[in-house]
Each structure stands twice: as structure tokens, then as C-alpha cells.
């Protein structure tokens, strides 16, 4: 109650506040007293995945949407090939084959070829963006059904993005442009720093190169984590409000995560045990590859280690991704209850 009173005073209520009046401020009361812990979020996610049998639906829906994207790209490629449209992929494949046998002809970079290859590349890019937006929307729609434990209509909700493909395209383009802008903010200072150090002759030492690489990676991850957590629930907002425009969804997601990005980050960190298991499997897979490369009697052992660790890593990544997404989904429901979206 002292915390509630302090918030009321900070909001402008500079007067004595009675207990009944405190109880009327349900939003503040719920925010302080009913916020779930990270352990509760993880337990809810695990129960919803396995006890309520949502893992298969989430994985199956995501797999179907991925296959739809692959099929769309295959169909576009086949149509362009039937029409005789040349692509940049054809050019690079011909270059590689020519380097091998020195007989395969390489297409000339004429104006007609450049126009056809660029046009087909732009078309494929737009189709890819549309399918990526539809897949992200469909995955978020299934997740919303999972959070509410509504078993009916989850498959139809997964393909809801096909009703507004150009809306999905515009939302995906704006989402990518946000990351592109933050990427420039991360890349330009790093590029200038590297240029200055190289010109000063300070990059001759391997230790200096390693330290600078580590610093650049940490700086880039720190900068890019801001838009990642700020717009993490963008497609959940869109899936819950399909009639909202891309701009309204972006502003609503930003308002939802205002002051709560660290909570989402801490919830990610709460999955450190399964993440550590996945990292150990990755290290084991690298050890198996090294044993195969060494040859001799260890090659057979390395093959077994590589196969087992690879299969285990794939299973761990699939389960972990669903586990984290459902936990973050419950956090979204918690924040939505306490935030007035614009």
C-alpha cells in the first residue's frame, strides 16, 4: 500500500489517500500485487505445452507455414524459369561451374540480363517478405489460441495472414526498416572506430584484433537488443487486432513494452538451464566433427557423437523455442492487462 500511495503522489495526488480510494486504483494494485514471477511464467508455459497438448499444434502450425513459404518460392522460381527469365542465381551458378570445368558459358552482363535478374530478384524478395509476414502472423495467432487455451479454430487462425497479404508485407517491411535503422546506429560507429584504428596502425596484433572483434559484437548485440525487445510482441498485437494498421500496431507494441523490456530480458535469462544444455550439445557436435576430421579409429566414434548431438540439438532447439515463446506470451498477456494500448 505504501508503494501504491507513492505512485499516486508521484502522479499528482498530493493529498492524504484513504484505503478505499487505494483499492479503487485496481490497475496499480494489480501491477504491484499480482505480477507473476519468472518461475510462474515458465511453469505455466511448460504446463500449457505438455499438459494441455499445445506443443504439437504450435510446431505443426509453424511447420505448415514454413512449407507454404518454401512452396511459394519454389513456384515463383519455376514460373520464372518457364518464362525464360534469367536470375542472378543462374549467373553465379554458371560462374562457379565455369571455375570448375572452364567450359560452362557465363552469361554476359548486358542491360537486358541485369534488368531481368534485378526484376526477378525484387519479385522474389517481395514474395519472401509477404510469406515471412504471413508466417509470423500465423505463429502469433496460434500462440494467442494457446495462451487462451482455445482448441477450436487454431488451424484457421494460422492462415489468417493470407486474408491481408499486402498488410503483412507492409508490416514486415516496417519491422525490417526498424532493425535496419538500429543496425546503422550500431554499424557506423564501429566502422569509423575500426577505420581509425587501422589507419593508426593499432590492429597489427592478434590480441588487439580479438579484443576489437569482441567489443564490436557486444556493442552490436546491445544496440540491436533494444528494437528486438521493444517490438517483440508486434505480431501478437497484430494477430489480436487484425484490423489495426501497421503504424498503430508498432505504436501499441512500443507503449506495451515501455518500461518492461528488462522484464522480458530477465524472463529469457530464466531459461538458462535449457539454453546451457543446447550450448553443450553444440560443443559436443563440434567435438564429434573434430574427431571425424582427425581420422583413424576415432572417426567412427566421432560420427556417432556428431549424429547423436545433432539430433539432440535439433530436438532441444525446437522444444526450447516453443517453451520460450509461450512463456513470453504469458508475459504479453500480463503486460496487456496492465497497459492501456493506444
Amino acid at each position: 500500500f505504501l508503494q501504491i500511495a507513492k505512485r499516486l503522489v508521484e502522479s499528482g495526488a498530493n493529498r492524504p489517500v484513504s484505503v478505499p480510494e487505494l483499492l479503487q486504483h485496481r490497475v496499480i494494485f494489480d501491477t504491484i500485487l499480482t505480477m507473476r514471477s519468472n518461475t510462474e511464467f515458465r511453469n505455466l508455459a511448460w504446463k500449457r505445452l505438455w499438459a494441455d497438448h499445445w506443443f504439437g499444434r504450435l510446431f505443426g502450425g509453424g511447420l505448415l507455414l514454413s512449407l507454404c513459404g518454401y512452396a511459394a518460392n519454389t513456384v515463383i522460381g519455376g514460373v520464372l524459369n518457364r518464362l525464360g527469365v534469367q536470375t542472378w542465381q543462374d549467373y553465379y551458378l554458371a560462374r562457379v561451374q565455369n571455375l570448375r570445368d572452364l567450359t560452362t558459358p557465363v552469361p554476359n552482363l548486358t542491360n537486358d540480363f541485369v534488368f531481368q535478374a534485378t526484376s526477378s530478384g525484387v519479385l522474389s524478395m517481395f514474395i519472401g517478405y509477404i510469406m515471412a509476414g504471413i508466417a509470423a502472423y500465423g505463429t502469433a495467432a496460434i500462440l494467442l489460441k494457446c495462451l487462451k487455451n482455445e482448441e477450436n479454430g487454431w488451424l484457421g487462425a494460422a492462415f489468417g495472414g493470407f486474408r491481408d497479404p499486402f498488410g503483412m508485407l507492409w508490416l514486415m517491411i516496417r519491422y525490417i526498416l526498424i532493425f535496419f535503422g538500429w543496425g546503422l546506429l550500431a554499424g557506423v560507429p564501429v566502422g569509423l572506430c575500426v577505420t581509425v584504428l587501422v589507419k593508426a596502425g593499432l590492429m597489427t596484433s592478434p590480441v588487439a584484433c580479438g579484443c576489437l572483434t569482441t567489443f564490436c559484437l557486444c556493442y552490436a548485440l546491445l544496440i540491436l537488443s533494444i528494437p528486438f525487445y521493444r517490438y517483440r510482441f508486434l505480431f501478437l498485437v497484430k494477430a489480436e487486432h487484425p484490423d489495426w494498421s501497421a503504424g498503430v500496431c508498432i505504436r501499441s507494441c512500443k507503449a506495451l513494452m515501455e518500461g518492461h523490456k528488462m522484464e522480458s530480458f530477465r524472463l529469457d535469462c530464466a531459461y538458462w538451464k535449457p539454453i546451457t544444455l543446447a550450448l553443450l550439445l553444440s560443443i559436443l557436435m563440434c567435438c564429434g566433427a573434430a574427431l571425424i576430421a582427425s581420422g583413424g579409429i576415432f572417426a567412427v566414434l566421432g560420427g556417432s557423437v556428431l549424429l547423436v548431438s545433432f539430433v539432440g540439438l535439433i530436438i532441444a532447439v525446437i522444444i526450447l523455442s516453443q517453451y520460450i515463446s509461450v512463456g513470453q506470451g504469458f508475459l504479453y498477456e500480463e503486460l496487456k492487462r496492465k497497459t492501456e494500448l493506444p
Side-chain angles (χ1 to χ4, degrees), residues 221-242:
L221 288 175
L222 179 63
I223 295 298
L224 293 178
S225 66
I226 298 174
F228 173 77
Y229 283 103
R230 178 176 291 175
Y231 302 105
R232 183 165 196 167
F233 301 133
L234 177 61
F235 284 93
L236 278 173
V237 174
K238 178 64 176 177
E240 194 161 19
H241 305 279

Side-chain angles (χ1 to χ4, degrees), residues 110-279:
T110 61
N111 291 334
D112 183 58
F113 175 84
V114 172
F115 176 76
Q116 289 187 28
T118 304
S119 300
S120 62
V122 171
L123 176 62
S124 299
M125 181 185 67
F126 275 95
I127 296 297
Y129 283 169
I130 290 175
M131 296 308 299
I134 290 174
Y137 177 90
T139 304
I142 301 174
L143 182 56
L144 282 176
K145 291 286 187 179
C146 170
L147 298 175
K148 299 174 183 177
N149 204 16
E150 296 178 357
E151 298 183 2
N152 297 326
W154 67 271
L155 189 58
F159 295 95
F162 285 98
R163 301 189 188 99
D164 186 20
F166 293 105
M168 298 298 104
L169 171 65
W170 180 233
L171 182 61
M172 180 58 69
I173 289 176
R174 293 194 61 171
Y175 186 63
I176 292 173
L177 287 176
I178 289 171
F179 274 89
F180 179 74
W182 282 92
L184 289 178
L185 182 62
V188 171
V190 169
L192 293 175
C193 178
V194 171
T195 303
V196 171
L197 291 176
V198 169
K199 288 184 176 180
L202 300 176
M203 298 303 298
T204 56
S205 171
V207 177
C209 293
C211 292
L212 180 62
T213 303
T214 303
F215 170 77
C216 293
L217 288 175
C218 293
Y219 176 76
L221 288 175
L222 179 63
I223 295 298
L224 293 178
S225 66
I226 298 174
F228 173 77
Y229 283 103
R230 178 176 291 175
Y231 302 105
R232 183 165 196 167
F233 301 133
L234 177 61
F235 284 93
L236 278 173
V237 174
K238 178 64 176 177
E240 194 161 19
H241 305 279
D243 56 324
W244 285 7
S245 65
V248 174
C249 290
I250 289 173
R251 290 193 298 270
S252 300
C253 186
K254 184 178 179 180
L256 184 73
M257 296 302 292
E258 188 68 31
H260 300 291
K261 291 184 284 293
M262 188 56 68
E263 295 176 15
S264 181
F265 174 72
R266 285 197 296 264
L267 181 55
D268 282 337
C269 293
Y271 293 93
W272 66 271
K273 291 181 181 179
I275 291 175
T276 303
L277 176 61
L279 291 176

Side-chain angles (χ1 to χ4, degrees), residues 293-311:
S294 65
I297 59 174
F298 296 105
V300 178
L301 176 62
S304 302
V305 171
L306 180 61
L307 178 61
V308 172
S309 58
F310 178 74
V311 173

